[in-house]
């Protein structure tokens, strides 16, 4: 499962420039030592401009992203690995934790000294559409985690950056430069490397057809995820006209509520609520383990979303992009250690190439937000 936040969701209030690259001299002769010295100087200046509480919240939010999202991915895979079979259940728990975000939203009104955003017909319809797409997106990712190792699913899900950049350019007219195009090519190459190494990556209980379907559903889910990002930004641009902490939380809550409604309907039609009792009995570890996996899946996903929202508000999309890049290898490494995922040379190469693509995307996003672009 992926969060409903990305490059296009930066908030205007409280955002700061976190670009780590010092300007080059006209002669382009600055040494690496001078670069480090300048970077340290800027870091000290930034530290002094903000109170301790700000840095505490930023570290806490960053930690939430780096811990909660990988944990949510691993728990999704653990559900299927230990005997879970329903894709609807694992997609349902991804949005079942929406009250956690709502509990943070209500105090935010008092802190920000503002009122809830009025719900117009257009805004309500937009939330319904986004909720339906999010429900479909979660279901696609559930199929991916049912058939793919968690490390592979996480790597493939990173392709959402490609689609968010493309849809953002087509629908919202976001800027694209050479670095972002380079990132798209690099990440596409990383996905191709994984596809070529499917034989060493497939679980024995998963057929070749199921593995291919998991691969396809993961890519389709990433494409839909990129579309959701672009449409979410379009809602801000066309209907809301502002980006602040409580407004983004409102969108998270409303979209999650409607996604929860749609997945609940799917659960009812598929009779998965009735099947949860029998599934818990046959689950490896027993009923307690079954319920703990589902509960913590819901909690960790929402904590990751809250962390991402706070990072975007407190800092910038550049830092959020860095953290998003770091959590991909964290998820893969954790899956190898905790779940004994297969890790071949091709997957290590793909992981390295993906990280390179993330770096190019982050640099391109930072440059695009500061100056003219070339398309």
């Amino acid at each position: 499962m992926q969060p409903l936040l990305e490059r296009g969701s930066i908030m205007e209030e409280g955002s700061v420039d976190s670009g780590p690259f010092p300007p080059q001299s006209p002669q382009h002769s600055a040494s690496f030592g001078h670069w480090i010295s300048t970077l340290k100087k800027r870091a000290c200046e930034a530290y002094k401009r903000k109170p301790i509480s700000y840095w505490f919240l930023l570290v806490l939010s960053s930690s939430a992203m780096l811990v909660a999202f990988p944990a949510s991915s691993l728990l999704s895979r653990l559900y299927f690995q230990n005997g879970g079979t329903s894709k609807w259940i694992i997609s349902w728990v991804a949005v079942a934790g929406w009250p956690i975000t709502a509990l943070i939203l209500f105090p935010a009104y008092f802190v920000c000294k503002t009122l809830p955003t009025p719900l117009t017909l257009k805004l309500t319809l937009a939330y319904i559409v986004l909720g339906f797409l999010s429900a479909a997106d979660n279901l696609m990712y559930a199929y991916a985690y049912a058939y793919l190792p968690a490390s592979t699913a996480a790597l493939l899900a990173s392709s959402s950056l490609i689609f968010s950049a493309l849809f953002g350019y087509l629908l919202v007219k976001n800027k694209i430069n050479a670095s972002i195009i380079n990132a798209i090519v690099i990440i596409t190459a990383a996905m191709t490397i994984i596809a070529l190494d499917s034989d060493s990556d497939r679980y024995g209980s998963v057929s070749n057809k199921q593995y291919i379907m998991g691969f396809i559903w993961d890519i389709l889910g990433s494409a839909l995820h990129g579309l959701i990002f672009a449409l979410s930004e379009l809602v801000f641009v066309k209907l809301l006209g502002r980006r602040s902490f409580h407004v983004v939380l409102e969108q998270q809550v409303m979209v999650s509520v409607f996604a929860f409604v749609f997945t609940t309907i799917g659960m009812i039609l598929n009779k998965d609520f009735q099947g949860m009792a029998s599934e818990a009995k046959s689950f490896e570890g027993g009923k307690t383990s079954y319920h703990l996996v589902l509960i913590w899946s819901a909690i960790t996903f929402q904590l990751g979303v809250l962390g991402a929202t706070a990072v975007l508000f407190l800092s910038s999309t550049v830092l959020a992009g860095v953290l998003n890049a770091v959590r991909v290898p964290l998820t893969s490494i954790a899956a190898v250690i905790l779940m004994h995922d297969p890790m071949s040379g091709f997957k290590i190469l793909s992981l390295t190439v993906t990280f390179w693509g993330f770096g190019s995307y982050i640099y391109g996003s930072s440059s695009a937000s500061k100056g003219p672009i070339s398309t």
Side-chain angles (χ1 to χ4, degrees), residues 154-155 158-159 186-187 190-191 194 325 328 349-359:
L155 281 169
S158 66
S159 64
I186 291 171
I187 295 175
M191 303 305 103
I194 295 179
V328 172
L349 176 61
S350 178
L351 182 61
T352 305
V353 172
T354 299
F355 203 72
W356 175 22
F358 268 117

Side-chain angles (χ1 to χ4, degrees), residues 3-303:
L4 190 60
L5 290 167
E6 190 60 62
R7 173 173 171 260
S9 300
I10 182 173
M11 275 70 72
E12 292 172 353
E13 297 178 13
S15 62
V16 297
D17 179 13
S18 64
F21 302 99
Q24 293 181 328
S25 65
Q27 295 79 18
H28 300 283
S29 60
S31 66
F32 181 75
H34 178 69
W35 186 87
I36 293 295
S37 177
T38 304
L39 187 62
K40 289 171 65 177
K41 182 179 178 181
R42 287 190 173 189
C44 290
E45 290 174 353
Y47 176 78
K48 293 176 181 177
R49 285 198 302 265
K50 299 291 182 180
I52 294 295
S53 58
Y54 167 87
W55 296 108
F56 175 77
L57 289 174
L58 185 59
V59 170
L60 187 65
S61 304
S62 301
S63 301
M65 280 191 69
L66 294 178
V67 175
F69 279 141
S72 177
S73 298
L74 294 180
L75 287 168
S76 296
R77 178 57 206 164
L78 184 64
Y79 165 81
F80 292 109
Q81 183 173 296
N82 285 9
T85 57
S86 173
K87 285 77 175 176
W88 278 106
I89 289 177
I90 207 65
S91 60
W92 179 75
V93 298
V95 287
W98 67 264
I100 298 175
T101 308
L103 289 174
I104 304 297
L105 172 62
F106 294 129
Y109 290 130
F110 295 99
V111 174
C112 299
K113 297 180 180 179
T114 187
L115 295 174
T117 304
L119 274 178
T120 63
L121 178 60
K122 286 185 178 180
L123 188 58
T124 303
L125 289 175
Y127 286 152
I128 291 173
V129 170
L130 287 173
F132 175 78
L133 293 178
S134 295
D137 190 43
N138 289 337
L139 188 60
M140 290 179 184
Y141 279 126
Y143 272 93
Y145 278 97
Y147 301 134
L148 301 176
S151 55
T152 303
L155 281 169
L156 291 175
S158 66
S159 64
S160 63
L161 278 181
I162 297 174
F163 299 106
S164 62
L166 293 176
F167 285 122
Y169 175 74
L170 294 173
L171 299 179
V172 197
K173 307 304 179 184
N174 282 338
K175 300 174 182 178
I176 289 184
N177 56 25
S179 293
I180 293 177
I181 294 174
N182 183 55
I184 292 173
V185 175
I186 291 171
I187 295 175
T188 302
M191 303 305 103
T192 305
I193 292 172
I194 295 179
L196 295 174
D197 191 41
S198 60
D199 289 339
S200 66
D201 194 39
R202 180 165 48 88
Y203 288 127
S205 59
V206 176
S207 67
N208 189 52
K209 181 180 179 180
Q210 288 175 324
Y211 183 92
I212 293 173
M213 290 306 300
F215 195 100
I216 293 173
W217 282 120
D218 209 341
I219 297 297
L220 289 177
S222 299
L224 183 55
H225 203 59
L227 176 61
I228 292 171
F229 285 145
L231 293 177
S232 298
E233 186 174 4
L234 205 60
V235 169
F236 279 113
V237 173
K238 299 293 185 180
L239 301 179
L240 294 173
R242 56 175 177 162
R243 297 183 179 111
S244 62
F245 186 66
H246 77 277
V247 172
V248 173
L249 280 181
E250 284 176 342
Q251 188 189 61
Q252 291 289 336
V253 170
M254 294 303 297
V255 171
S256 293
V257 166
F258 285 115
F260 178 75
V261 171
F262 285 120
T263 50
T264 300
I265 293 173
M267 289 271 290
I268 293 172
L269 294 177
N270 206 44
K271 298 181 179 180
D272 280 331
F273 283 116
Q274 298 92 315
M276 289 178 77
S278 60
E279 193 173 69
K281 292 179 181 178
S282 60
F283 195 77
E284 185 177 332
K287 292 182 180 179
T288 302
S289 296
Y290 178 80
H291 293 124
L292 284 175
V293 167
L294 296 185
I295 291 171
W296 280 109
S297 293
I299 293 174
T300 52
F301 185 79
Q302 290 302 315
L303 288 179

